[in-house]
Structure formats: C-alpha cells, structure tokens
Amino acid sequence: MSQPVPPPNQSQQPYDAQPGGNPYAGQQPGQPGVPTGNPFAGQQPGQFGGAPFAPAAPARNNIALGAVTAVITAIVTAVLYGVIAGAIEREVSYIAIGVGFLIGFAAGKVGGSNPVLPIVSAVLSPGAVYLGQLIGMAVIVSDKFSVSFTDVFFDKFGPLTDAWSEAAGFKTYLFIAIAAVAAYGGAKKASD
C-alpha cells in the first residue's frame, strides 16, 4: 500500500510562500521580485528621453495632394515601364496592369478616400501606359540604329506614334483598359 504524503510543514515554506508551494503566490505582478518576463516592466513611458511614438494621422479627402501624387506616379511608372520594355525589346502587357494599380494606390494612399481620386487615376493610367510603350519603342529604335534616345523620342515623335498605332492590336488596347480598371481598384483599395 502506498502511504499518503503528509502536508508540508509551514516552517519549511521558502520565501514566505503561501500554502501549495508557490513562493510568488502572495505577490502581485509588477512588484519588485516578481519576474514577469518583460525586461521593461516597471519603466514609465518616455523614460529614455522621448515621448511615446504616435503614428501620423491618415490623409482624408485631400484631392489636390492625391491628384498631384497620381500625376507624378504616372510619369515615374511610365518611364520605368518604357525602360523595362526597351531593355527586353518587347511589350510587357502585364506591367501595364501594375502601372495602373500603382497610380491608383499612390493617389488613394496620399489623397485619402475622396471619390474623385479613383476616377483621376483611371483617366491617367492609360496615358501612362501609352507613354511607357512609346518610351520603350524609342529605346529599342535608339539601340538598333545607334542614335540617341532624345533624338528618337523628341525629334521623331510623329513617326514614333505612327509606328505604335500600326503595332497596336487588340491585346494592347485590352491591357490599357485593364490598367484603367486596376488604377480605379488600386485607389479604392488604398483608401479603405
């Protein structure tokens, strides 16, 4: 038969513990001597010479700032799209969707939830995609004929747009339209 274990003698309890064997049972968390696992417990906010971090307030209905951001993003993404297309010497239609989404997302993030910004983004994105495709064609022509990009793009802009019109097909126009939809969606997503 097994013998029952006698209850612990109160005089043998360590650290002024409560019955049951837990030496910290009588203390409240945060008191000295009670390990909480937090190395910063007991310190006051701003104790190290600064105020607590406060995040910036989100933008709300700033249509002017959102529209300016959309224009700048359209120009930057058009140039990037053109450089990528010119470097690989082909039109990358899926990048057109990214161009549209970035324009809308940036406008919505900076300008807030103004309902005009998705429309502005959707109007700007086809122009950015078109400009990017023209830049890509100018890069290809300048590399192929060893002339400067600026000569092809600025001096021969008419023939460049004519060549784009001849090369553009259903797929080109489809992805330009999808870029506009992506811009609208990107602005809505960012403002949520």
Side-chain angles (χ1 to χ4, degrees):
M1 271 221 278
S2 68
Q3 302 245 342
V5 178
N9 187 348
Q10 294 296 337
S11 64
Q12 294 176 353
Q13 292 292 325
Y15 307 110
D16 198 24
Q18 299 295 318
N22 184 353
Y24 301 110
Q27 297 178 342
Q28 296 296 321
Q31 291 180 346
V34 177
T36 62
N38 182 356
F40 301 107
Q43 297 175 356
Q44 298 298 319
Q47 187 171 352
F48 295 108
F53 173 74
R60 297 284 183 238
N61 291 327
N62 193 344
I63 188 170
L65 191 57
V68 168
T69 301
V71 169
I72 292 170
T73 306
I75 293 168
V76 170
T77 55
V79 170
L80 289 174
Y81 178 37
V83 168
I84 291 170
I88 62 174
E89 296 186 1
R90 63 177 28 190
E91 175 187 345
V92 184
S93 301
Y94 294 104
I95 294 178
I97 297 170
V99 166
F101 182 79
L102 284 174
I103 292 168
F105 191 80
K109 200 55 132 170
V110 172
S113 61
N114 192 304
V116 174
L117 290 176
I119 296 169
V120 169
S121 301
V123 168
L124 287 174
S125 67
V129 172
Y130 173 70
L131 181 63
Q133 290 176 352
L134 289 179
I135 290 171
M137 290 177 70
V139 167
I140 293 169
V141 169
S142 68
D143 285 347
K144 194 169 282 203
F145 296 108
S146 299
V147 295
S148 81
F149 168 81
T150 56
D151 288 342
V152 174
F153 192 76
F154 294 110
D155 293 341
K156 306 290 185 201
F157 192 76
L160 189 65
T161 57
D162 292 341
W164 182 88
S165 296
E166 290 177 16
F170 175 75
K171 183 179 168 186
T172 303
Y173 294 113
L174 176 68
F175 277 96
I176 287 175
I178 293 173
V181 172
Y184 188 88
K188 288 294 211 179
K189 178 80 173 163
S191 65
D192 289 340

